[in-house]
Amino acid sequence: MSPARSVETSASLSKEEIREAQEALTRLGYGQLEADGVFGPGTRRSVEAFQLAQGLSVTGRLDADTLRVLRSSQTAAQP
């Protein structure tokens, strides 16, 4: 991972990456988000709730640590 990628925030993510995160957060029970690829206030609240539940720093941003844990949680939740 490049140094620039390690400080990744929701601002640097593509709409597709945000949409995938929104879908994962909804599947994991962190709100009923519209998976539209727009990082709005509902997505921010869901990210904050996920970060709090996972013991991450609560920033409300889809940073590298949050995305890593979200992706692994989503994989673990699949049958």
Side-chain angles (χ1 to χ4, degrees):
M1 182 182 309
S2 73
R5 195 75 171 155
S6 68
V7 293
E8 181 175 346
T9 65
S10 51
S12 65
L13 297 176
S14 71
K15 285 187 78 161
E16 178 66 18
E17 289 170 312
I18 294 170
R19 185 188 62 74
E20 289 172 1
Q22 290 167 325
E23 290 174 347
L25 288 163
T26 296
R27 275 194 298 276
L28 293 169
Y30 292 95
Q32 292 298 315
L33 300 172
E34 181 180 346
D36 57 6
V38 177
F39 196 92
T43 301
R44 183 173 314 284
R45 284 189 299 273
S46 292
V47 169
E48 289 170 349
F50 177 79
Q51 290 170 328
L52 183 63
Q54 297 298 317
L56 299 167
S57 296
V58 179
T59 64
R61 295 184 179 169
L62 288 168
D63 55 34
D65 286 339
T66 301
L67 287 170
R68 178 181 48 77
V69 174
L70 182 59
R71 289 173 180 148
S72 67
S73 295
Q74 181 180 346
T75 302
Q78 293 178 356

